[in-house]
Amino acid sequence: MMIDHPILGPRDAEEFVYLGDACLMVRPDGMAADAAEAFATYLYARENPAGRHRELWFHEQGDQSWLIVTRCTRTHAIEKVELAQDAARAGVVGQ
Amino acid sequence: MKRFSGLRILAEGLTGNAGWRPHWRDAAPAEAYDIVIVGGGGHGLATAYHLAETYGEARIAVVEKGWIGGGNVGRNTTVVRANYLLPANQRFYALSLRMWERFEQELNYNAMVSQRGILNLYHSDGQRDAYIRRGNAIRFSGADAEHLDRAALERMWPFFDYDNARFPIRGGLWQPRGGTVRHDAVAWGYARAASARGVDIVQNCEVTGFDIQGGRIAGLRTSRGAIGAGRVGICVAGHSSRVMEMAGMNLPVESHVLQAFVSEGLKPCIPGVIGFGAGHFYISQSDKGGLVFGGDLDGYNSYAQRGNLPMVEHVCAGGMALMPMIGRARLLRMWGGVMDMTMDGSPIIDRTPVEGLFFNGGWCYGGFKATPASGLVFAHLIATGTPHEAAADFRLDRFARGHLIDEAGSGPQPNLH
Ligand SMILES: Cc1cc2nc3c(=O)[nH]c(=O)nc-3n(C[C@H](O)[C@H](O)[C@H](O)COP(=O)(O)OP(=O)(O)OC[C@H]3O[C@@H](n4cnc5c(N)ncnc54)[C@H](O)[C@@H]3O)c2cc1C
């Protein structure tokens, strides 16, 4: 797979480390009354879709940036690549 | 069901082999069943068999979206073993290994159960100590484990690259009762035994929804029409999240692809099953002579049933570091399967919030060896409503409770288990 890095251009996916669903960027509030339940869901429950998946990749052997890659889990085709920090600033991580 | 025997092979051979019949009935779905098992892989078929044979249940169907044996039960590398560290896992897999030893006699089916032994290599002092500890835990569970030093290894496996500069081989943990089992025959054997006990095996029948009334399961919607059901057991492996979503559940599961490889046929050269301890590579030789080997997950969510090339290179590099003699064997075939990876690397066998709906999954890359025990304990749960003692820890709520069964100690990161 080739990941089209927004700054560095197309890079081999082998340069990256995969973390998982981009919902991991939306941490629950640890002080909320339902924090225990919210963290159990945050840590363990996954939608695990067959199709479009927004996911976190870390460019370990590159510029050390976190990317959000929108990829089809049925075909491995990559639709979109964003810098995670841009998505976080724009407030669109949890879609 | 006509029994198979040496005498029958002889008789058939003398009469033109005209008497062989299909091993099971390819049934059309009835309007309703007492129990419907979703998924005709090893676990679904074994569950149906034990429901009928061990728990005396009747009116049972297995519904499979493709053909039986087309999923992971026919895609795995056939290794069976019981060499886990944690009691919750080891208790269960030790039971499964004992059941493999009786499998062929009990089902009257040749599954080529081959207890050729499994060897896990270590390459450092720290790893040796960890393996010896694991070996002791295995022996406490009643299963077998032996520590072999380098001299003992050299007698049986002279071809290892013992003095590899990066990964010198110091010794290994050997489980003589581990080995391999012909995977397709496991699906066929359970299908035949279940069918003979009245179970309907319905192929090309995809479950597309649940009929849930007042919090209770009432039936299934399928590509072959609605089917009523008193109880439903889910055994869909890599598709667990997809199916359970239809019942409103998000599981602690990610689906990942795992690849397997087979070389051209060679004369017998590799005894036992061998696992490299310094990278992800394991290998055995099939009775046809092909070297059957595999390694790690590709590492990203996938339902594609095929992997990518970097993992091919990585796995082969592991093989070359361990036994350079395989370098000139040509790779003949490779394929991938979709793994239901859980957040702690261990399976889930439990009730669900929907009354009468039971879930069995999260088998990761190691559910083939679990097949007989999984069938037994899941049938127990469905028939009695209470967990079997060998699977009492495989609860779905263990994640929220913090009672994870994490052999690798790598936390909720499925691609590291
Ligand atoms: C490459 C590879 C190597 C492996 N090596 C080993 C090994 O050496 N040792 C080991 O112990 N394990 C191994 N495994 C793991 C093992 O194969 C699986 O854990 C195990 O087979 C899963 O259980 P199963 O047999 O019931 O799954 P499957 O055979 O996958 O059965 C699930 C069935 O459910 C069906 N299904 C899915 N959705 C629906 C639906 N909506 N409606 C109806 N049916 C549906 C599927 O079509 C499928 O047939 C390996 C797996 C792979 C892919």
Side-chain angles (χ1 to χ4, degrees):
Chain A
M1 288 189 295
M2 296 296 277
I3 296 179
D4 195 3
H5 192 298
I7 301 170
L8 303 174
R11 312 296 305 196
D12 191 327
E14 284 298 284
E15 294 177 5
F16 294 79
V17 172
Y18 179 79
L19 185 69
D21 195 318
C23 72
L24 287 166
M25 288 175 71
V26 193
R27 252 177 113 80
D29 175 3
M31 303 312 269
D34 66 345
E37 199 184 317
F39 266 98
T41 306
Y42 168 77
L43 263 181
Y44 301 119
R46 296 287 184 275
E47 266 178 40
N48 191 22
R52 205 159 177 272
H53 192 224
R54 270 164 57 89
E55 55 200 24
L56 289 165
W57 292 73
F58 177 60
H59 199 193
E60 190 186 39
Q61 294 171 44
D63 70 346
Q64 307 271 299
S65 60
W66 282 97
L67 304 183
I68 299 180
V69 176
T70 307
R71 192 180 55 97
C72 177
T73 59
R74 291 181 192 276
T75 63
H76 302 157
I78 293 173
E79 178 187 316
K80 189 174 167 192
V81 184
E82 310 152 77
L83 285 173
Q85 60 184 24
D86 289 351
R89 286 200 190 104
V92 293
V93 288
Q95 56 177 351
Chain B
M1 178 175 86
K2 257 187 154 171
R3 283 186 66 79
F4 293 133
S5 65
L7 191 66
R8 193 158 161 225
I9 291 177
L10 198 68
E12 289 292 343
L14 294 173
T15 54
N17 282 307
W20 302 114
R21 291 287 168 266
H23 292 188
W24 71 87
R25 276 178 309 117
D26 185 23
E31 226 163 76
Y33 295 92
D34 285 356
I35 303 175
V36 177
I37 302 299
V38 183
H43 293 230
L45 294 165
T47 302
Y49 164 74
H50 280 291
L51 279 168
E53 169 67 19
T54 313
Y55 293 96
E57 296 279 354
R59 300 207 329 133
I60 304 164
V62 176
V63 298
E64 161 57 48
K65 80 171 172 190
W67 66 95
I68 64 161
N72 290 342
V73 70
R75 290 169 180 269
N76 64 74
T77 44
T78 78
V79 179
V80 302
R81 58 190 170 90
N83 55 0
Y84 284 74
L85 176 67
L86 302 179
N89 278 328
Q90 183 56 18
R91 185 186 310 135
F92 174 82
Y93 288 107
L95 168 67
S96 210
L97 192 55
R98 291 198 299 279
M99 292 178 73
W100 282 122
E101 288 170 336
R102 307 193 301 262
F103 177 90
E104 295 177 308
Q105 295 307 316
E106 187 179 324
L107 297 188
N108 178 234
Y109 210 83
N110 178 10
M112 295 160 74
V113 176
S114 162
Q115 293 185 289
R116 58 184 69 185
I118 178 163
L119 174 70
N120 285 96
L121 295 168
Y122 64 78
H123 309 265
S124 68
D125 292 351
Q127 210 175 10
R128 176 200 58 211
D129 294 350
Y131 276 26
I132 289 175
R133 176 182 173 220
R134 175 184 294 251
N136 287 335
I138 293 168
R139 293 172 75 133
F140 270 130
S141 79
D144 59 326
E146 286 169 32
H147 174 226
L148 301 183
D149 61 13
R150 175 171 166 170
L153 292 185
E154 278 178 350
R155 280 195 290 279
M156 200 149 149
W157 296 276
F159 49 82
F160 289 157
D161 186 7
Y162 287 93
D163 295 314
N164 184 294
R166 275 181 82 191
F167 311 117
I169 293 165
R170 297 264 166 78
L173 193 63
W174 172 237
Q175 180 163 65
R177 285 170 58 222
T180 59
V181 180
R182 165 108 201 252
H183 51 6
D184 301 310
V186 172
W188 300 333
Y190 276 123
R192 170 171 170 268
S195 182
R197 285 160 183 78
V199 173
D200 275 2
I201 295 169
V202 185
Q203 302 182 101
N204 299 312
C205 181
E206 178 171 0
V207 172
T208 54
F210 294 111
D211 181 7
I212 298 167
Q213 288 169 13
R216 233 205 108 72
I217 194 87
L220 301 159
R221 285 190 295 278
T222 78
S223 56
R224 294 180 73 174
I227 301 176
R231 283 162 286 170
V232 172
I234 306 297
C235 298
V236 294
H239 296 273
S240 293
S241 297
R242 306 282 35 85
V243 171
M244 295 316 283
E245 189 185 46
M246 299 190 279
M249 292 173 69
N250 261 358
L251 297 174
V253 168
E254 281 180 7
S255 294
H256 283 258
V257 60
L258 179 69
Q259 305 192 57
F261 311 90
V262 178
S263 79
E264 61 191 320
L266 304 172
K267 292 225 166 117
C269 60
I270 296 189
V273 179
I274 299 156
F276 190 32
H280 286 280
F281 176 81
Y282 64 95
I283 187 167
S284 66
Q285 187 169 17
S286 79
D287 291 353
K288 275 195 290 187
L291 305 181
V292 180
F293 58 98
D296 209 356
L297 302 169
D298 273 40
Y300 41 78
N301 289 42
S302 175
Y303 285 89
Q305 278 200 148
R306 65 182 164 76
N308 276 314
L309 292 171
M311 189 47 70
V312 182
E313 188 176 5
H314 181 80
V315 170
C316 292
M320 288 300 290
L322 174 64
M323 43 175 92
M325 73 163 186
I326 64 171
R328 287 169 65 192
R330 272 160 299 195
L331 198 57
L332 205 61
R333 303 184 282 131
M334 52 196 253
W335 63 89
V338 184
M339 315 277 61
D340 35 343
M341 299 297 302
T342 57
M343 292 288 158
D344 62 358
S346 296
I348 299 162
I349 303 176
D350 206 350
R351 290 183 284 258
T352 70
V354 178
E355 194 64 32
L357 178 66
F358 300 86
F359 176 72
N360 173 324
W363 290 101
C364 303
Y365 44 76
F368 176 66
K369 64 180 168 297
T371 307
S374 170
L376 178 71
V377 303
F378 197 40
H380 182 97
L381 178 66
I382 295 171
T384 67
T386 53
H388 189 282
E389 59 180 4
D393 295 307
F394 296 154
R395 305 295 303 274
L396 186 52
D397 68 355
R398 70 173 181 266
F399 298 93
R401 283 187 288 116
H403 287 247
L404 277 68
I405 310 171
D406 187 348
E407 289 275 341
S410 53
Q413 189 59 43
N415 59 353
L416 298 183
H417 285 294

